[in-house]
Amino acid sequence: MADVLVVGSYNAGFTIYAPHLPRRGETVGDARFDWGPGGKGANQAIALRRLGIDTCLVTKLGEDVFGDHGRDVLLAEGLPAWGILRAKEPTGVAFILVEADGENSIVVAPGANLALGLDDVMALGDEAGVSRFVLLQLECRTELAVDVGRWARSGGRRVVLDPAPARALPPEALAYFDIITPNETELALLSRALGGPDGGTVEAQAAALLEKGAHDIVVTLGQRGALWASAAGFQSFEAYPADVRDTTGAGDAFSAALVAALARGASLPDAIDLGCRAGAYCVSHDGVIDGLATWSALAGMKKGPAQ
Ligand code: RIB
């Protein structure tokens, strides 16, 4: 039995650090390459493990070289073997372009991730059925997050959805998640798809989701921190300073740290503060995995100018 069950994607990630994005037909030289494990589900599960939380990841890898590598990495991070499933489809892959200012553009071929369903999670029995928290994203089929969210919440678990990448949700699904952690793009899409404001302020868009049945919304705002929206109103959280190198995975680091803090008994405001620390730590490192912090690294972070 784990404290946190993460159900989600694994992608082998291939990152090019380039001075700028190529225009159509252009070749950009002077780039640097790296590859390694990724995928929002795997990143979040590894982040939770590094923060000392007993975590299980349920994910699907292909029967190929990237799947074998992914399994080795996940086991080495201390994630249990029983959640690492295999599919006949190829392992998911992500091609990531990072520009000089750290902003990224990503293309994902999800492969085996699309074969993951609620039936796979339920087939794991009590191993997957008794965690206190469940953390989900939208990088597998949308129905996976909706189905697992409904199932987990009806079983009394606290369910957190990081709605990334940006996708619409059916209106009834908002109530399945105790906390939803969109960035501004994801919030705008969720709001628009549910008939809320098309444009307007973050507050207005978050309020529209609350009206449609969402519980707590925590909007990540990058270098402007975060905003918590609930029935009680709005609360802003200051960002931690960061020397931005690569923004890939900042949302994963934030959501995982928020859940890690809750699993340790923190209040939601304190959990949001830890999420802000984890996001700042992540963007200050190249790649995602090197940017997933330990508890002591986050505890030592201070507000003020970037070091
Ligand atoms: O959130 C970052 C992740 O999104 C990367 O690891 C990559 O797999 C992409 O899907």
Side-chain angles (χ1 to χ4, degrees):
M1 188 220 331
D3 252 2
V4 180
L5 173 72
V6 181
V7 180
S9 56
Y10 176 88
N11 295 322
F14 301 90
T15 303
I16 295 261
Y17 295 90
H20 62 87
L21 290 185
R23 285 188 306 277
R24 216 171 139 82
E26 182 190 4
T27 299
V28 174
D30 280 354
R32 189 158 64 74
F33 172 73
D34 196 11
W35 80 280
K40 297 180 192 303
N43 293 341
Q44 294 181 14
I46 292 171
L48 279 151
R49 284 291 307 142
R50 295 208 180 152
L51 290 169
I53 305 296
D54 190 1
T55 304
C56 164
L57 169 67
V58 179
T59 195
K60 266 198 177 167
L61 312 175
E63 296 278 4
D64 49 27
V65 61
F66 299 130
D68 293 345
H69 177 258
R71 185 183 157 83
D72 289 348
V73 168
L74 296 172
L75 294 178
E77 292 285 344
L79 291 159
W82 52 261
I84 305 169
L85 311 176
R86 295 290 191 137
K88 61 180 183 339
E89 293 81 359
T91 302
V93 293
F95 284 85
I96 305 170
L97 271 166
V98 179
E99 294 178 79
D101 65 356
E103 289 300 324
N104 64 61
S105 306
I106 305 180
V107 182
V108 175
N113 291 306
L114 298 185
L116 188 60
L118 173 63
D119 50 337
D120 292 307
V121 181
M122 290 179 68
L124 296 168
D126 271 359
E127 295 275 35
V130 291
S131 64
R132 291 190 297 132
F133 290 86
V134 175
L135 177 55
L136 303 164
Q137 321 76 31
L138 296 177
E139 205 168 44
C140 298
R141 287 181 301 112
T142 304
E143 302 83 67
L144 176 75
V146 172
D147 293 348
V148 174
R150 185 198 307 110
W151 166 77
R153 197 152 198 275
S154 67
R157 265 86 64 72
R158 209 160 164 196
V159 187
V160 178
L161 173 70
D162 176 358
R167 292 223 173 104
L169 286 173
E172 69 278 9
L174 289 180
Y176 303 157
F177 310 109
D178 294 275
I179 304 169
I180 304 180
T181 60
N183 65 19
E184 289 172 89
T185 308
E186 292 148 7
L187 175 70
L189 187 143
L190 285 173
S191 162
R192 199 166 53 241
L194 294 167
D198 193 359
T201 63
V202 167
E203 283 84 352
Q205 293 171 353
L209 296 196
L210 295 174
E211 236 170 65
K212 300 274 178 196
H215 303 283
D216 287 288
I217 314 263
V218 179
V219 188
T220 58
L221 302 170
Q223 297 190 44
R224 287 179 290 119
L227 177 82
W228 172 28
S230 71
F234 300 102
Q235 186 175 336
S236 292
F237 292 80
E238 213 183 308
Y240 282 77
D243 188 1
V244 179
R245 297 175 63 97
D246 180 356
T247 56
T248 314
D252 298 333
F254 180 96
S255 294
L258 179 141
V259 172
L262 295 175
R264 284 194 171 197
S267 65
L268 185 50
D270 285 347
I272 296 170
D273 179 73
L274 195 78
C276 289
R277 290 169 189 252
Y281 184 95
C282 185
V283 302
S284 308
H285 292 76
D286 279 348
V288 182
I289 302 298
D290 287 350
L292 301 176
T294 59
W295 201 273
S296 61
L298 297 187
M301 288 175 72
K302 304 245 177 315
K303 294 195 172 126
Q307 284 128 43

